[in-house]
Amino acid sequence: MELRAMHSWNLSEEEAVQLQQELARQVIAEDGLADVQYVAGVDVAYSKHSDKLIAAVVILDAKSLKVAESVVVEDHVQFPYIPGLFSFRELPPVIQAFQQIKTPPQLIVCDGQGLAHPRRFGLASHLGLLLDMPTIGCGKTRLLGEFEKPGADRGAMSPLIDHGEVIGSVLRTQDGIKPIFVSVGHKISLATACDWILKLAPRYRLPETTRQADQLVNRVLSGVGSD
């Protein structure tokens, strides 16, 4: 897969924050999806015993939700642990994985945030801009914002609001199960993002994209840790 012109990853905290503020202005929160045949799931896991991290990209058939392809990249942490700047820590190996993909997706779902971020530029938005592709942020937990608890039924949702701005949706993917936090990454509307997450989560709380990628990185990480 092709990337847009890459910025440097060798940045200070101040430079990374400034770059986020600049790139956030380029995010498109409107639908720009083509016919979606394949959907990618992205996740990153860290070793507890070293500076290794594992990034995985899993490609699913959009209709059957079966895995069509997966790529794993092992790397070492290059950027410090700073809340709000996780994309600078996690995206380099994720991008390496996408460069190896032979089944290009038309939509990417990230285990993390998009616009639901202090500078409206979470990992999903950062990746969407670099790949110039529609992306969705799908977090298991809230990074910021206030919300009212959505109804108990699958499909119930409530807005996630920060300083009067709707930055995402709190979405119930299964009856009576804890909701997840959905936000625009790039080139998709919030309504369409929520529709896709529901399609991708027919049986479990998490969409199959996130679930499959999470299982893969943890399987690989277990193997790495046992070496």
Side-chain angles (χ1 to χ4, degrees):
M1 293 183 62
E2 293 185 5
L3 292 173
R4 296 176 67 183
M6 293 281 288
H7 57 75
S8 171
W9 294 102
N10 184 22
L11 301 171
S12 67
E13 179 179 353
E14 293 75 17
E15 289 169 336
V17 168
Q18 183 178 357
L19 182 62
Q20 283 185 329
Q21 292 168 337
E22 293 171 1
L23 294 180
R25 295 192 285 269
Q26 299 180 35
V27 171
I28 298 170
E30 298 176 358
D31 291 327
L33 288 81
D35 180 34
V36 179
Q37 298 180 328
Y38 294 99
V39 184
V42 174
D43 197 12
V44 176
Y46 297 85
S47 171
K48 295 179 181 178
H49 312 291
S50 70
D51 65 348
K52 289 182 181 178
L53 56 80
I54 304 294
V57 174
V58 178
I59 308 295
L60 303 184
D61 181 281
K63 291 183 179 178
S64 69
L65 302 186
K66 292 182 178 178
V67 176
E69 185 183 356
S70 61
V71 171
V72 174
V73 169
E74 181 181 326
D75 201 356
H76 295 271
V77 172
Q78 304 291 333
F79 195 85
Y81 180 92
I82 303 172
L85 295 176
F86 290 155
S87 63
F88 293 91
R89 199 172 156 89
E90 299 185 353
L91 281 186
V94 168
I95 289 165
Q96 291 178 47
F98 270 108
Q99 289 172 327
Q100 299 176 37
I101 287 290
K102 297 181 174 61
T103 310
Q106 291 77 44
L107 176 63
I108 302 170
V109 179
C110 299
D111 179 19
Q113 314 297 336
L115 295 186
H117 179 275
R119 288 172 291 278
R120 308 298 184 254
F121 198 72
L123 184 145
S125 298
H126 201 158
L127 182 61
L129 272 179
L130 290 175
L131 295 177
D132 194 26
M133 283 190 57
T135 53
I136 299 172
C138 182
K140 297 185 277 289
T141 57
R142 172 187 61 170
L143 180 61
L144 80 166
E146 304 296 328
F147 66 95
E148 294 183 1
K149 188 165 68 172
D153 296 338
R154 170 178 159 85
M157 67 182 79
S158 63
L160 180 65
I161 299 173
D162 181 47
H163 292 95
E165 179 185 357
V166 176
I167 58 172
S169 285
V170 186
L171 175 64
R172 190 90 63 182
T173 53
Q174 302 298 327
D175 292 351
I177 299 296
K178 278 196 306 185
I180 57 176
F181 297 85
V182 180
S183 59
V184 168
H186 184 50
K187 286 191 167 182
I188 196 166
S189 67
L190 183 56
T192 301
C194 290
D195 287 346
W196 267 105
I197 295 301
L198 283 173
K199 287 179 189 175
L200 295 167
R203 295 177 59 194
Y204 301 101
R205 177 188 178 222
L206 298 179
E208 283 302 300
T209 43
T210 301
R211 215 173 68 84
Q212 295 288 348
D214 178 72
Q215 290 180 354
L216 179 55
V217 291
N218 284 300
R219 281 199 305 271
V220 174
L221 198 57
S222 296
V224 170
S226 63
D227 288 346

